[in-house]
Amino acid sequence: MPHTLSLADIPIGASVRIAEILTPGNNRRRLLDLGLVPGARVEIIRRSPSGNPTAYLIKGAVIALRNENAAQIMVDTN
Amino acid sequence: MSTINNPGLSVLQEIEPLLPTNTANIKDRIVSSIYQQAESVSAQVVRSKNSQYTGLEARLDNILTSRWLGFPIMLLLLTLILWITITGANYPSQLLATGLFWLEEQLTALFLAVNAPVWLSGLLIQGMYRSLAWVVSVMLPPMAIFFPLFTLLEDLGYLPRVAFNMDKLFRRAGAHGKQCLTMCMGFGCNAAGVISCRIIDSPRERLIAILTNTFSICNGRFPTLIALSTIFMGTLVSQAYSSVLATLAVVAIIMTGIATTLLVSSLLSRTLFRGMPSFFVLELPPFRRPQLGQILIRSLLDRTLFVLWRAVVIAAPAGALTWILANSFVGGTSVFALIVGWLNPLGQLMGMDGIILIAFLLGLPANEIVLPILIMGYISAGSMLELDSLNALRILLLDHGWTWITALCVMLFSLLHFPCGTTLYTIFKETRSARWTLLSALLPLLLGIVVTLLINQGAQIIMR
Amino acid sequence: MAINTTLLSESTENSPDKQNNFVIALAGNPNVGKSTVFNRLTGLKQHTGNWPGKTVIKAEGTFSHRNRHYTLVDLPGTYSLHTSSSDEEVARDFICFSRPDITLVVCDATCLERNLNLVLQILEITDRVLVCVNLLDEAERKGIHVDIAMLARQLGIPAVGTAARSGRGLESLKNVLDDMLAGKIAIRPRQLVYDPELERSINKIEKRLAPYLPAWINSRWVALRVLERDFSILEHISNHKNNDFPRQVLKEEVALCLP
Ligand SMILES: Nc1nc2c(ncn2[C@@H]2O[C@H](COP(=O)(O)OP(=O)(O)O)[C@@H](O)[C@H]2O)c(=O)[nH]1
Ligand SMILES: [Mg+2]
């Protein structure tokens, strides 16, 4: 079943699991290195005053991603 | 990932297209494996009770990155830091000036006593020593206050929050979110700001950040701005509020600089450096109680003395050169006066004069010496004058026809002209390109000429 | 990005009293307290502006302990060593090519797992690694307990717990450095294991490459990079000054055994 929800669609305060990363190339690697590996838990923490970027709690660190980048990270909500 | 572009790799190059292309898959598997094993080690080693991002941390972020308070707090902190710097630097500056100029008298006496030739004492004392004394007394106190305060914000973990708040603006300008951090560094020193652009991975956005760093007012330019704004803006109100108004004028120039950064970045990313805004990852580190002792020591050693030393090394020869120019004569006029004469028409158009322009030109090695050279030019005593108070400077400038328009144009031109010599050299080292270095000088210069022209002409029309 | 790896390799290789001079690289994620450890250990004996508070330029400093002299190099903070940014390249090249006597990896006790990601990667390059679990005070405040002895056992390398800001644990850190250099500590580093298919490819590549690689480099690690198509590593090795293998042959061999 293809994943339909991306990290950019999740409301503040929710916690999700990474399902699949669609980002290609070097940036994919950078996401993986940050701990965004399939199966990892991510909590959505806050948005910047202007709504973009958004901050996530990933393996104990708070990391901000621009929404268009987060939209390429597919998640499971369970 | 690197591609193969070395001629020595021809064999690999032929075979490469035949290889499976889903290396992404291989990378995923490698990284996932590493994380799995990190997780399993961690599971045996770490016992923790609660979630990681709670309490004080979250509450602070709620305020600092809040919709309504985020931006006002940033502005307030900037103003506060500058205000502390401006008011705090005043007294020690005077003290240093008094001490250093007292020393100058002793030196002059010594030179007289040993019957040194006049040109030698002129070159060494009136040229080199005086410019050094100026740089030290004008720059050291504000730096010794500004840098620790700035390092304090950095150590607290506040700067990444600024980048978090500002990112949308930078995104719209087609720039990288971290450009904001490199700008902050530029407020200390543009050369350091340019080096810090290394934190931006994408070459396109890194170049944009490098080329626009000069729009962050650096520490070498603050004293000029502070002095001029104290003289011309500060005196518009009563004594009690003058430092506040002076601070606000400087803040306004800084904001103009930030706006220019965004505008020029946007322009560059739409013309020369077309491309998508790249991937942006920003860590918001936990707030930590700052180490005050370390901040003082490190900001003093690494930043204050570093910048001061550079200024001293450059100011001495520049002072000597200025003295030589002012004391070599061609047909009865000094070379200095000759150049001033050439530059004067352009200066007048831009709301300034020839002496101001030559001060900026001779100030190429270091922005700190622009004001001293300017003063020297006005006194035309052939050397930099000792000015024990800002009031003396005010009278001097008014005598030479300065109005608030002149002051405004000089302040804007200080924001918008070529970066200092060290910064240019650093840009060259970082980009390894004479073209980009040249562009980094011409771009702000052209902008400065156009802006001061427009402002001056506009003001002339209104005043008429 | 220009990488200045010559500076230290020269100072270590050509200095007359090399016996007693050791280079320690300080690696770790951003914000784990590397610079704090660095400043604590070296005090005022350091040069080069560590300009942006977040280390961008490599900073160097020295200290002595139990009659050994140390040169400490503060590397930029990175999450990994995969050279997707110039910071990571500086860190990786220093650890790999300048071959410090010990790589001290500073970790954040409050989020050890993400730090271990880097530790495990560094262990693939070199086994002369000492782990420093810093920010213990923060961890305690947050109710996180880290079993340092267990960590050392799991990783097969020494580990020390510190709270660098207050100086806690730094004496034992220096003692462990000394013990490591004196050969008093047995090191059996945990090796990363990948899935069977990857392992087969890695072994195949490694076997073909090994004869051409200089002895000081970990051939398994090079094989992994090649598997990922990071061929720049081969050029780096070829260009490295104390390399003595035929570069053309190396590359042909590599091409043949890619999966
Ligand atoms: N509480 C606590 N804070 C620390 C400790 N070590 C470093 N810090 C703080 O952590 C922050 C980041 O430290 P720094 O040395 O700049 O980290 P680097 O990015 O790894 O170089 C600073 O605010 C330090 O004061 C520690 O052991 N305990
Ligand atoms: Mg650091």
Short mmCIF file of all heavy atoms in Angstrom, two decimals, chain B residues 2 8-9 12 16 19-20 23 29 34 37 44-45 47 49-50 52 154 201 283 285 288-289 291 298 303 306 432, chain C residues 2 31 36 46 51-53 79 85 110 117 142-143 145 147 154 165 193 195 197 229 232 235 248 251 255 258-259:
data_model
loop_
_atom_site.label_atom_id
_atom_site.label_comp_id
_atom_site.label_asym_id
_atom_site.label_seq_id
_atom_site.Cartn_x
_atom_site.Cartn_y
_atom_site.Cartn_z
N SER B 2 30.30 11.89 -5.09
CA SER B 2 31.11 12.47 -6.15
C SER B 2 30.91 11.67 -7.43
O SER B 2 30.58 10.50 -7.42
CB SER B 2 32.56 12.43 -5.75
OG SER B 2 33.05 11.15 -5.94
N GLY B 8 42.10 10.11 -15.27
CA GLY B 8 42.76 8.88 -14.86
C GLY B 8 41.77 7.76 -14.57
O GLY B 8 42.14 6.61 -14.38
N LEU B 9 40.50 8.14 -14.52
CA LEU B 9 39.51 7.15 -14.11
C LEU B 9 38.73 6.60 -15.30
O LEU B 9 37.60 6.17 -15.18
CB LEU B 9 38.53 7.78 -13.14
CG LEU B 9 39.09 8.13 -11.76
CD1 LEU B 9 38.10 8.97 -11.02
CD2 LEU B 9 39.43 6.88 -11.00
N LEU B 12 36.84 3.23 -15.15
CA LEU B 12 35.67 3.27 -14.29
C LEU B 12 34.52 3.96 -15.00
O LEU B 12 33.37 3.56 -14.90
CB LEU B 12 36.04 4.03 -13.02
CG LEU B 12 35.23 3.74 -11.78
CD1 LEU B 12 35.04 2.25 -11.61
CD2 LEU B 12 35.94 4.32 -10.58
N GLU B 16 30.84 2.49 -15.56
CA GLU B 16 29.84 3.02 -14.66
C GLU B 16 28.40 2.87 -15.15
O GLU B 16 27.53 2.47 -14.39
CB GLU B 16 30.14 4.50 -14.36
CG GLU B 16 29.48 4.92 -13.07
CD GLU B 16 29.37 6.42 -12.95
OE1 GLU B 16 29.67 7.12 -13.93
OE2 GLU B 16 28.97 6.88 -11.88
N LEU B 19 26.60 -0.31 -14.29
CA LEU B 19 26.37 -0.69 -12.88
C LEU B 19 24.93 -0.43 -12.48
O LEU B 19 24.27 0.42 -13.05
CB LEU B 19 27.30 0.11 -11.98
CG LEU B 19 28.78 -0.09 -12.25
CD1 LEU B 19 29.60 0.89 -11.44
CD2 LEU B 19 29.17 -1.51 -11.98
N PRO B 20 24.45 -1.17 -11.51
CA PRO B 20 23.10 -0.90 -11.01
C PRO B 20 23.01 0.53 -10.51
O PRO B 20 23.95 1.06 -9.92
CB PRO B 20 22.92 -1.90 -9.87
CG PRO B 20 24.29 -2.37 -9.53
CD PRO B 20 25.11 -2.24 -10.77
N THR B 23 21.83 3.00 -6.16
CA THR B 23 22.72 3.10 -5.01
C THR B 23 21.98 3.68 -3.82
O THR B 23 22.37 3.49 -2.69
CB THR B 23 23.93 3.99 -5.30
OG1 THR B 23 23.44 5.11 -5.99
CG2 THR B 23 24.98 3.25 -6.07
N ARG B 29 20.22 1.07 3.04
CA ARG B 29 20.47 -0.13 3.83
C ARG B 29 21.65 0.06 4.75
O ARG B 29 21.63 -0.38 5.90
CB ARG B 29 20.69 -1.33 2.90
CG ARG B 29 19.36 -1.94 2.42
CD ARG B 29 19.50 -2.58 1.08
NE ARG B 29 20.33 -3.78 1.09
CZ ARG B 29 20.76 -4.38 -0.02
NH1 ARG B 29 20.42 -3.90 -1.20
NH2 ARG B 29 21.51 -5.45 0.06
N ILE B 34 23.39 0.95 10.38
CA ILE B 34 24.16 1.64 11.41
C ILE B 34 23.22 2.09 12.53
O ILE B 34 23.52 1.90 13.71
CB ILE B 34 24.91 2.85 10.82
CG1 ILE B 34 25.84 2.41 9.70
CG2 ILE B 34 25.72 3.55 11.91
CD1 ILE B 34 26.57 3.56 9.02
N GLN B 37 22.10 -0.68 14.79
CA GLN B 37 23.10 -1.11 15.76
C GLN B 37 23.32 -0.05 16.84
O GLN B 37 23.53 -0.37 18.00
CB GLN B 37 24.38 -1.48 15.03
CG GLN B 37 24.18 -2.80 14.29
CD GLN B 37 25.21 -3.08 13.21
OE1 GLN B 37 26.33 -3.44 13.51
NE2 GLN B 37 24.84 -2.88 11.97
N GLN B 44 20.97 -0.91 25.55
CA GLN B 44 21.61 -1.60 26.67
C GLN B 44 22.30 -0.64 27.61
O GLN B 44 22.71 -1.03 28.70
CB GLN B 44 22.66 -2.57 26.13
CG GLN B 44 22.08 -3.46 25.06
CD GLN B 44 22.76 -4.78 25.04
OE1 GLN B 44 23.04 -5.35 26.09
NE2 GLN B 44 23.04 -5.28 23.85
N VAL B 45 22.49 0.59 27.18
CA VAL B 45 23.33 1.51 27.94
C VAL B 45 22.51 2.62 28.60
O VAL B 45 22.84 3.07 29.69
CB VAL B 45 24.38 2.14 26.99
CG1 VAL B 45 25.14 3.25 27.67
CG2 VAL B 45 25.34 1.07 26.49
N ARG B 47 19.18 4.39 30.26
CA ARG B 47 17.87 4.25 30.88
C ARG B 47 17.31 5.65 31.07
O ARG B 47 17.97 6.52 31.67
CB ARG B 47 17.99 3.56 32.24
CG ARG B 47 17.74 2.05 32.14
CD ARG B 47 17.84 1.41 33.50
NE ARG B 47 19.20 1.48 34.02
CZ ARG B 47 19.52 2.01 35.19
NH1 ARG B 47 18.59 2.55 35.95
NH2 ARG B 47 20.77 2.03 35.60
N LYS B 49 13.72 8.20 31.81
CA LYS B 49 12.37 8.19 32.34
C LYS B 49 11.40 8.93 31.44
O LYS B 49 10.30 8.51 31.18
CB LYS B 49 12.35 8.81 33.74
CG LYS B 49 12.91 7.85 34.79
CD LYS B 49 12.78 8.43 36.18
CE LYS B 49 14.12 8.54 36.83
NZ LYS B 49 14.40 9.63 37.64
N ASN B 50 11.84 10.10 30.97
CA ASN B 50 10.83 10.90 30.29
C ASN B 50 11.26 11.37 28.91
O ASN B 50 12.40 11.16 28.49
CB ASN B 50 10.45 12.10 31.14
CG ASN B 50 11.65 12.62 31.90
OD1 ASN B 50 12.77 12.48 31.43
ND2 ASN B 50 11.43 13.18 33.07
N GLN B 52 12.24 13.95 25.85
CA GLN B 52 13.42 14.79 25.88
C GLN B 52 13.16 16.29 25.78
O GLN B 52 13.94 17.08 26.25
CB GLN B 52 14.30 14.41 24.68
CG GLN B 52 14.42 12.94 24.54
CD GLN B 52 15.83 12.50 24.70
OE1 GLN B 52 16.70 13.30 24.99
NE2 GLN B 52 16.09 11.23 24.51
N GLU B 154 24.98 33.47 21.30
CA GLU B 154 25.35 32.28 20.56
C GLU B 154 25.38 31.08 21.50
O GLU B 154 24.85 30.02 21.20
CB GLU B 154 26.74 32.53 20.00
CG GLU B 154 27.09 31.80 18.77
CD GLU B 154 28.45 32.27 18.30
OE1 GLU B 154 29.46 31.86 18.89
OE2 GLU B 154 28.50 33.06 17.36
N ASP B 201 25.77 24.17 2.52
CA ASP B 201 26.32 23.12 1.66
C ASP B 201 26.15 23.41 0.18
O ASP B 201 26.99 23.04 -0.62
CB ASP B 201 25.64 21.77 1.93
CG ASP B 201 25.43 21.54 3.39
OD1 ASP B 201 26.34 21.89 4.15
OD2 ASP B 201 24.36 21.04 3.76
N GLU B 283 19.40 22.53 13.11
CA GLU B 283 19.20 21.97 14.44
C GLU B 283 18.90 23.09 15.42
O GLU B 283 19.55 24.14 15.39
CB GLU B 283 20.42 21.18 14.91
CG GLU B 283 20.12 20.57 16.27
CD GLU B 283 21.22 19.69 16.83
OE1 GLU B 283 22.25 19.51 16.16
OE2 GLU B 283 21.03 19.20 17.95
N PRO B 285 19.40 23.58 18.96
CA PRO B 285 20.03 22.89 20.09
C PRO B 285 19.34 23.29 21.39
O PRO B 285 18.69 24.33 21.45
CB PRO B 285 21.46 23.42 20.06
CG PRO B 285 21.39 24.72 19.36
CD PRO B 285 20.24 24.64 18.41
N ARG B 288 21.29 26.15 26.88
CA ARG B 288 22.20 25.75 27.96
C ARG B 288 22.63 26.99 28.71
O ARG B 288 22.78 28.07 28.12
CB ARG B 288 23.43 25.06 27.39
CG ARG B 288 23.06 23.85 26.58
CD ARG B 288 23.84 22.63 27.00
NE ARG B 288 23.27 21.43 26.40
CZ ARG B 288 23.68 20.91 25.24
NH1 ARG B 288 24.65 21.48 24.59
NH2 ARG B 288 23.12 19.83 24.78
N ARG B 289 22.85 26.81 30.00
CA ARG B 289 23.33 27.91 30.81
C ARG B 289 24.71 28.31 30.28
O ARG B 289 25.58 27.47 30.12
CB ARG B 289 23.43 27.48 32.27
CG ARG B 289 23.57 28.60 33.27
CD ARG B 289 23.18 28.11 34.67
NE ARG B 289 23.82 26.85 35.02
CZ ARG B 289 25.03 26.76 35.54
NH1 ARG B 289 25.75 27.83 35.77
NH2 ARG B 289 25.54 25.59 35.86
N GLN B 291 28.53 29.75 29.78
CA GLN B 291 29.73 29.76 30.61
C GLN B 291 30.33 31.15 30.52
O GLN B 291 31.07 31.45 29.58
CB GLN B 291 30.74 28.74 30.08
CG GLN B 291 30.21 27.33 30.02
CD GLN B 291 31.04 26.48 29.08
OE1 GLN B 291 30.83 26.43 27.89
NE2 GLN B 291 32.05 25.81 29.63
N ARG B 298 37.19 33.69 25.63
CA ARG B 298 37.25 33.34 24.22
C ARG B 298 36.88 34.50 23.31
O ARG B 298 37.49 34.70 22.26
CB ARG B 298 36.36 32.13 23.91
CG ARG B 298 36.84 30.88 24.58
CD ARG B 298 37.68 29.99 23.66
NE ARG B 298 38.95 30.57 23.27
CZ ARG B 298 40.09 30.40 23.92
NH1 ARG B 298 40.14 29.68 25.01
NH2 ARG B 298 41.19 30.95 23.49
N ARG B 303 38.17 36.75 19.26
CA ARG B 303 37.50 37.72 18.40
C ARG B 303 38.07 39.11 18.56
O ARG B 303 38.58 39.69 17.61
CB ARG B 303 36.01 37.73 18.73
CG ARG B 303 35.49 36.33 18.58
CD ARG B 303 34.00 36.24 18.59
NE ARG B 303 33.65 34.89 18.19
CZ ARG B 303 32.45 34.41 18.17
NH1 ARG B 303 31.43 35.16 18.51
NH2 ARG B 303 32.22 33.17 17.80
N PHE B 306 41.80 39.34 17.87
CA PHE B 306 41.99 38.94 16.47
C PHE B 306 41.66 40.10 15.53
O PHE B 306 42.46 40.49 14.67
CB PHE B 306 41.08 37.74 16.19
CG PHE B 306 41.03 37.30 14.76
CD1 PHE B 306 42.06 36.57 14.19
CD2 PHE B 306 39.92 37.59 13.97
CE1 PHE B 306 42.00 36.15 12.88
CE2 PHE B 306 39.85 37.18 12.66
CZ PHE B 306 40.89 36.46 12.11
N ARG B 432 37.77 31.11 -4.72
CA ARG B 432 38.87 30.88 -5.67
C ARG B 432 38.53 31.46 -7.03
O ARG B 432 38.78 30.85 -8.06
CB ARG B 432 39.14 29.40 -5.81
CG ARG B 432 39.74 28.82 -4.56
CD ARG B 432 40.17 27.42 -4.81
NE ARG B 432 40.46 26.77 -3.55
CZ ARG B 432 40.36 25.47 -3.38
NH1 ARG B 432 40.00 24.69 -4.36
NH2 ARG B 432 40.64 24.95 -2.22
N ALA C 2 39.31 23.58 0.59
CA ALA C 2 40.70 23.26 0.87
C ALA C 2 40.81 22.56 2.22
O ALA C 2 40.20 22.99 3.19
CB ALA C 2 41.54 24.53 0.89
N ASN C 31 27.21 20.69 18.89
CA ASN C 31 26.61 21.03 20.19
C ASN C 31 26.73 20.00 21.30
O ASN C 31 25.94 20.02 22.23
CB ASN C 31 25.12 21.32 20.04
CG ASN C 31 24.92 22.76 19.72
OD1 ASN C 31 25.40 23.61 20.47
ND2 ASN C 31 24.29 23.03 18.61
N THR C 36 33.98 22.93 24.34
CA THR C 36 34.14 23.07 25.78
C THR C 36 35.22 22.12 26.29
O THR C 36 36.10 22.51 27.06
CB THR C 36 32.81 22.79 26.50
OG1 THR C 36 31.80 23.59 25.89
CG2 THR C 36 32.90 23.11 27.97
N GLN C 46 46.10 27.69 22.67
CA GLN C 46 45.50 27.33 21.40
C GLN C 46 45.66 28.48 20.42
O GLN C 46 45.85 29.62 20.81
CB GLN C 46 44.03 27.01 21.57
CG GLN C 46 43.29 28.03 22.39
CD GLN C 46 41.81 27.71 22.47
OE1 GLN C 46 41.09 27.95 21.53
NE2 GLN C 46 41.38 27.18 23.59
N TRP C 51 36.32 30.84 14.96
CA TRP C 51 35.39 31.94 14.83
C TRP C 51 33.95 31.64 15.18
O TRP C 51 33.55 31.86 16.30
CB TRP C 51 35.48 32.58 13.45
CG TRP C 51 36.18 33.87 13.59
CD1 TRP C 51 37.49 34.10 13.37
CD2 TRP C 51 35.63 35.09 14.08
NE1 TRP C 51 37.78 35.40 13.66
CE2 TRP C 51 36.67 36.03 14.09
CE3 TRP C 51 34.37 35.48 14.50
CZ2 TRP C 51 36.49 37.34 14.50
CZ3 TRP C 51 34.19 36.79 14.90
CH2 TRP C 51 35.25 37.70 14.90
N PRO C 52 33.21 31.15 14.21
CA PRO C 52 31.80 31.01 14.53
C PRO C 52 31.70 30.07 15.70
O PRO C 52 32.36 29.05 15.72
CB PRO C 52 31.24 30.38 13.26
CG PRO C 52 32.25 30.69 12.21
CD PRO C 52 33.56 30.66 12.90
N GLY C 53 30.91 30.42 16.69
CA GLY C 53 30.80 29.62 17.90
C GLY C 53 30.61 28.17 17.52
O GLY C 53 31.10 27.27 18.19
N TYR C 79 27.08 15.03 11.84
CA TYR C 79 26.22 13.90 12.21
C TYR C 79 26.74 12.60 11.65
O TYR C 79 26.42 11.54 12.12
CB TYR C 79 24.79 14.12 11.70
CG TYR C 79 24.11 15.27 12.37
CD1 TYR C 79 23.91 16.48 11.72
CD2 TYR C 79 23.68 15.16 13.69
CE1 TYR C 79 23.30 17.54 12.35
CE2 TYR C 79 23.07 16.21 14.33
CZ TYR C 79 22.87 17.41 13.65
OH TYR C 79 22.28 18.45 14.27
N SER C 85 28.70 17.25 3.06
CA SER C 85 28.98 18.67 3.24
C SER C 85 30.48 18.85 3.49
O SER C 85 31.18 17.90 3.80
CB SER C 85 28.21 19.23 4.43
OG SER C 85 28.76 18.74 5.62
N THR C 110 22.48 13.05 26.63
CA THR C 110 21.02 13.17 26.60
C THR C 110 20.42 12.60 25.32
O THR C 110 19.22 12.42 25.24
CB THR C 110 20.56 14.63 26.76
OG1 THR C 110 20.98 15.37 25.62
CG2 THR C 110 21.13 15.26 28.00
N ASN C 117 25.65 6.74 16.19
CA ASN C 117 25.70 6.64 14.74
C ASN C 117 27.07 7.08 14.22
O ASN C 117 27.70 6.41 13.40
CB ASN C 117 24.57 7.51 14.17
CG ASN C 117 24.59 7.56 12.67
OD1 ASN C 117 24.72 6.54 12.01
ND2 ASN C 117 24.48 8.76 12.13
N LYS C 142 17.72 15.50 33.43
CA LYS C 142 16.56 15.04 32.67
C LYS C 142 16.16 13.62 33.04
O LYS C 142 15.29 13.03 32.38
CB LYS C 142 16.87 15.10 31.17
CG LYS C 142 16.99 16.51 30.63
CD LYS C 142 17.11 16.49 29.12
CE LYS C 142 17.09 17.90 28.57
NZ LYS C 142 17.30 17.96 27.12
N GLY C 143 16.81 13.06 34.05
CA GLY C 143 16.45 11.71 34.45
C GLY C 143 16.91 10.63 33.49
O GLY C 143 16.28 9.60 33.35
N HIS C 145 19.90 7.99 32.56
CA HIS C 145 21.09 7.37 33.12
C HIS C 145 21.87 6.64 32.03
O HIS C 145 21.30 5.88 31.26
CB HIS C 145 20.70 6.39 34.23
CG HIS C 145 21.89 5.66 34.78
ND1 HIS C 145 22.71 6.22 35.73
CD2 HIS C 145 22.41 4.45 34.47
CE1 HIS C 145 23.69 5.36 35.99
NE2 HIS C 145 23.53 4.29 35.25
N ASP C 147 25.03 4.09 31.33
CA ASP C 147 25.95 3.12 31.93
C ASP C 147 27.25 3.12 31.10
O ASP C 147 27.36 2.43 30.09
CB ASP C 147 25.29 1.74 31.91
CG ASP C 147 26.14 0.70 32.61
OD1 ASP C 147 27.35 0.94 32.80
OD2 ASP C 147 25.59 -0.36 32.95
N GLN C 154 30.17 -2.67 25.18
CA GLN C 154 29.42 -2.84 23.94
C GLN C 154 30.22 -2.41 22.72
O GLN C 154 30.16 -3.02 21.67
CB GLN C 154 28.12 -2.04 23.99
CG GLN C 154 27.05 -2.62 24.88
CD GLN C 154 26.41 -3.84 24.23
OE1 GLN C 154 26.20 -3.89 23.02
NE2 GLN C 154 26.13 -4.86 25.04
N ARG C 165 31.67 21.24 31.29
CA ARG C 165 31.54 22.62 31.72
C ARG C 165 32.05 22.81 33.13
O ARG C 165 32.66 23.83 33.45
CB ARG C 165 30.09 23.08 31.61
CG ARG C 165 30.03 24.59 31.61
CD ARG C 165 28.69 25.09 31.30
NE ARG C 165 27.75 24.71 32.33
CZ ARG C 165 26.46 24.96 32.26
NH1 ARG C 165 25.98 25.53 31.19
NH2 ARG C 165 25.67 24.59 33.21
N VAL C 193 27.95 -4.52 11.15
CA VAL C 193 27.63 -5.63 10.27
C VAL C 193 26.42 -5.24 9.43
O VAL C 193 25.48 -4.64 9.94
CB VAL C 193 27.28 -6.89 11.09
CG1 VAL C 193 27.09 -8.07 10.16
CG2 VAL C 193 28.38 -7.17 12.09
N ASP C 195 23.61 -6.26 6.03
CA ASP C 195 22.85 -7.46 5.66
C ASP C 195 23.71 -8.36 4.78
O ASP C 195 24.69 -7.92 4.17
CB ASP C 195 21.52 -7.08 5.00
CG ASP C 195 21.72 -6.27 3.74
OD1 ASP C 195 22.38 -6.78 2.81
OD2 ASP C 195 21.21 -5.13 3.67
N GLU C 197 23.68 -9.73 1.91
CA GLU C 197 23.98 -9.40 0.52
C GLU C 197 25.04 -8.31 0.43
O GLU C 197 26.00 -8.39 -0.34
CB GLU C 197 22.70 -8.96 -0.18
CG GLU C 197 22.82 -8.96 -1.69
CD GLU C 197 21.71 -8.15 -2.35
OE1 GLU C 197 20.69 -7.90 -1.66
OE2 GLU C 197 21.86 -7.77 -3.51
N ARG C 229 29.40 4.05 -4.26
CA ARG C 229 29.81 4.87 -5.40
C ARG C 229 30.43 6.20 -5.00
O ARG C 229 30.38 7.16 -5.74
CB ARG C 229 28.63 5.14 -6.34
CG ARG C 229 28.19 3.91 -7.06
CD ARG C 229 26.93 4.17 -7.82
NE ARG C 229 26.78 3.16 -8.87
CZ ARG C 229 27.01 3.41 -10.14
NH1 ARG C 229 27.38 4.59 -10.54
NH2 ARG C 229 26.87 2.45 -11.02
N SER C 232 35.29 9.33 -4.82
CA SER C 232 36.24 10.38 -4.46
C SER C 232 37.26 9.86 -3.46
O SER C 232 38.39 10.32 -3.42
CB SER C 232 35.50 11.58 -3.87
OG SER C 232 34.93 11.22 -2.63
N GLU C 235 40.37 8.77 -5.16
CA GLU C 235 41.23 9.86 -5.57
C GLU C 235 41.99 10.42 -4.38
O GLU C 235 43.16 10.74 -4.46
CB GLU C 235 40.40 10.97 -6.20
CG GLU C 235 40.38 10.84 -7.70
CD GLU C 235 39.36 11.77 -8.29
OE1 GLU C 235 39.61 12.98 -8.26
OE2 GLU C 235 38.33 11.26 -8.77
N GLN C 248 46.18 3.83 -11.53
CA GLN C 248 45.38 3.30 -12.63
C GLN C 248 44.88 1.90 -12.31
O GLN C 248 43.71 1.59 -12.45
CB GLN C 248 46.21 3.30 -13.91
CG GLN C 248 45.42 2.99 -15.17
CD GLN C 248 44.29 3.99 -15.37
OE1 GLN C 248 44.41 5.15 -15.03
NE2 GLN C 248 43.18 3.51 -15.90
N LYS C 251 42.02 1.71 -9.87
CA LYS C 251 40.71 2.06 -10.37
C LYS C 251 40.12 0.97 -11.26
O LYS C 251 38.93 0.72 -11.25
CB LYS C 251 40.76 3.40 -11.09
CG LYS C 251 40.56 4.50 -10.08
CD LYS C 251 41.43 5.68 -10.31
CE LYS C 251 41.65 6.39 -8.99
NZ LYS C 251 42.61 7.46 -9.10
N ALA C 255 36.57 -1.03 -10.63
CA ALA C 255 35.50 -1.08 -11.61
C ALA C 255 34.99 -2.51 -11.80
O ALA C 255 33.81 -2.75 -11.96
CB ALA C 255 35.99 -0.51 -12.93
N LEU C 258 32.52 -3.96 -8.76
CA LEU C 258 31.31 -3.30 -8.28
C LEU C 258 30.11 -4.21 -8.52
O LEU C 258 30.08 -4.92 -9.51
CB LEU C 258 31.12 -1.96 -9.00
CG LEU C 258 31.91 -0.84 -8.37
CD1 LEU C 258 32.02 0.33 -9.32
CD2 LEU C 258 31.28 -0.40 -7.07
N PRO C 259 29.13 -4.19 -7.66
CA PRO C 259 28.00 -5.10 -7.79
C PRO C 259 27.12 -4.75 -8.99
O PRO C 259 27.09 -3.61 -9.39
CB PRO C 259 27.23 -4.91 -6.50
CG PRO C 259 27.59 -3.54 -6.04
CD PRO C 259 29.00 -3.31 -6.51
#
